[in-house]
Amino acid sequence: MKFLDQAKVYVRSGDGGAGCVSFRREKFIEFGGPNGGDGGRGGDVVVECVAGLNTLIDYRFKQHFKAQTGVHGMGKNRTGANGADAVLKVPVGTQIFDEDEETLLADLTEVGQSIVLAKGGNGGFGNAYFKTSTNQAPRRANPGLPGDERWIWLRLKLIADAGLVGLPNAGKSTFLAAVSAAKPKIADYPFTTLEPNLGVVGVDGREFVMADIPGLIEGAHEGVGLGDRFLGHVERCRVLLHLVDGTCEHAGQAYKVVRGELEAYGGGLSDKPEIVALSKADSLSPELRKEQLARLKRAAKKTPVVLSALSGEDVPETLRKLLSVIDEAKGVEAAEQAPKVAEEAWRP
């Protein structure tokens, strides 16, 4: 299945049904009168977050969604049926933007969340509604109100606990394949990964989700290489694992290139907790390992982890460090949410 994380969609809610002009004409009934029913309400356009989806591919070939028009009113005071809603099902982590691509309308992060993007038009009144003591035979009815229409942007940001960042060929896909059941494409050339991958990582009986995105190169924020459009998928991560290829020319410079792109992108990525790791340790001689480790330590201003996804060196320890940072971040988030929940509970 093709991975699609952005789509432009046209939505239109249903028009309201028109009211009816009708009069009673039964035999043996001395006094007739108006009995035109009201029109039905037009359908809404609803976006719903559902489980089982991980891409927006459903909106690749269909971009127009229209709700049903309300049924017109009928005689004998029969109200028209309401129009059916148009429901757009999206994966967890979908953001909805207005046509300007800047105004955020909704951020759906949990299964079951939904939002009404366009409300259907109200149905028109039939002539029975306008009957008064001075106007007992009205010959007027209202037309239904038109529905709303708009263009929206759907953007998917994957929900993951940890994110892998680094230059191309830094060993991110190899690491993900080694610690999870994910099967990303692995090869010995740059930009093997062309779309984000997710994997469920298990350590000490615990599990968390890890995201792997295509590699960054210098100038990615200006569109060089694959650009930085995939960085949005690690915005929601609680911790970043920054892999630096130990076989590159200078580990410190490689680290600074990626950090520069994270700062240029923004979105709070440069402020996230980060674990720095020197990867491909199995390919390094003792002298080169010591030299690259010193360079990376000076650049990152912290002691890096030395690991090898191929041999498994220090992989469990790295996963435990990631899990501890994730638990700490969850605790902080829970503490921040507690006052809000208490305030809502006691709100009169």
Side-chain angles (χ1 to χ4, degrees):
M1 180 185 294
K2 181 178 175 62
F3 182 85
L4 190 71
D5 61 351
Q6 183 169 291
K8 188 177 183 181
V9 177
Y10 170 84
V11 296
R12 176 178 172 81
S13 59
D15 297 336
C20 174
V21 176
S22 175
F23 294 91
R24 297 178 63 185
R25 292 185 176 85
E26 291 104 328
K27 191 176 182 181
F28 304 119
I29 294 181
E30 182 178 1
F31 298 104
N35 67 347
D38 301 336
R41 192 174 185 277
D44 300 332
V45 177
V46 182
V47 180
E48 182 181 1
C49 186
V50 299
L53 296 178
N54 55 14
T55 176
L56 296 174
I57 191 64
D58 293 340
Y59 305 99
R60 171 65 178 84
F61 301 103
K62 182 180 179 181
Q63 295 90 22
H64 294 75
F65 296 86
K66 299 179 182 179
Q68 192 175 20
T69 300
V71 179
H72 302 319
M74 294 167 281
K76 299 182 180 179
N77 289 316
R78 289 177 293 176
T79 301
N82 294 333
D85 296 339
V87 181
L88 283 68
K89 296 183 178 180
V90 297
V92 177
T94 301
Q95 291 182 323
I96 305 172
F97 288 88
D98 205 354
E99 189 176 4
D100 59 7
E101 300 188 57
E102 295 180 358
T103 305
L104 181 63
L105 302 177
D107 190 359
L108 307 179
T109 57
E110 296 180 4
V111 174
Q113 285 184 327
S114 63
I115 179 177
V116 177
L117 283 182
K119 290 188 175 182
N122 290 326
F125 293 122
N127 65 335
Y129 177 84
F130 299 101
K131 179 182 177 181
T132 64
S133 60
T134 58
N135 184 13
Q136 299 190 11
R139 287 175 170 78
R140 57 166 293 196
N142 286 348
L145 296 178
D148 296 331
E149 60 180 349
R150 68 194 310 175
W151 284 92
I152 60 170
W153 282 92
L154 301 177
R155 280 189 201 154
L156 175 61
K157 291 184 178 180
L158 297 178
I159 303 293
D161 298 306
L164 292 171
V165 296
L167 292 173
N169 275 19
K172 301 185 297 299
S173 297
T174 304
F175 183 83
L176 182 65
V179 300
S180 71
K183 300 184 183 300
K185 184 178 179 180
I186 301 173
D188 60 349
Y189 55 85
F191 296 112
T192 307
T193 302
L194 298 177
E195 58 191 36
N197 295 298
L198 284 180
V200 179
V201 181
V203 56
D204 298 335
R206 302 275 305 282
E207 289 184 344
F208 62 92
V209 181
M210 180 177 289
D212 169 32
I213 65 169
L216 302 170
I217 61 176
E218 188 172 2
H221 67 282
E222 298 175 349
V224 179
L226 293 178
D228 60 0
R229 59 167 297 191
F230 294 113
L231 279 178
H233 294 290
V234 295
E235 280 188 26
R236 304 182 191 271
C237 294
R238 296 181 172 91
V239 59
L240 300 179
L241 177 58
H242 188 161
L243 294 182
V244 180
D245 185 0
T247 62
C248 67
E249 294 183 3
H250 196 292
Q253 293 179 358
Y255 171 84
K256 291 180 179 179
V257 168
V258 176
R259 288 298 300 181
E261 295 304 321
L262 295 179
E263 293 174 0
Y265 176 82
L269 290 183
S270 59
D271 300 326
K272 286 185 178 295
E274 179 190 51
I275 295 177
V276 183
L278 187 69
S279 64
K280 302 183 182 180
D282 57 290
S283 302
L284 303 177
S285 63
E287 295 79 10
L288 182 58
R289 174 190 289 211
K290 183 178 180 180
E291 182 181 2
Q292 291 284 53
L293 187 60
R295 291 171 175 172
L296 185 55
K297 184 176 181 179
R298 287 195 300 268
K301 298 180 181 179
K302 64 179 69 173
T303 302
V305 179
V306 182
L307 59 83
S308 170
L310 192 61
S311 64
E313 178 184 349
D314 274 353
V315 171
E317 291 76 8
T318 303
L319 297 181
R320 292 188 183 99
K321 289 184 178 181
L322 290 172
L323 189 58
S324 65
V325 177
I326 292 170
D327 290 339
E328 183 180 351
K330 287 182 178 179
V332 172
E333 292 174 3
E336 292 177 351
Q337 290 294 332
K340 296 180 182 179
V341 175
E343 182 182 349
E344 292 177 357
W346 288 97
R347 186 175 297 169

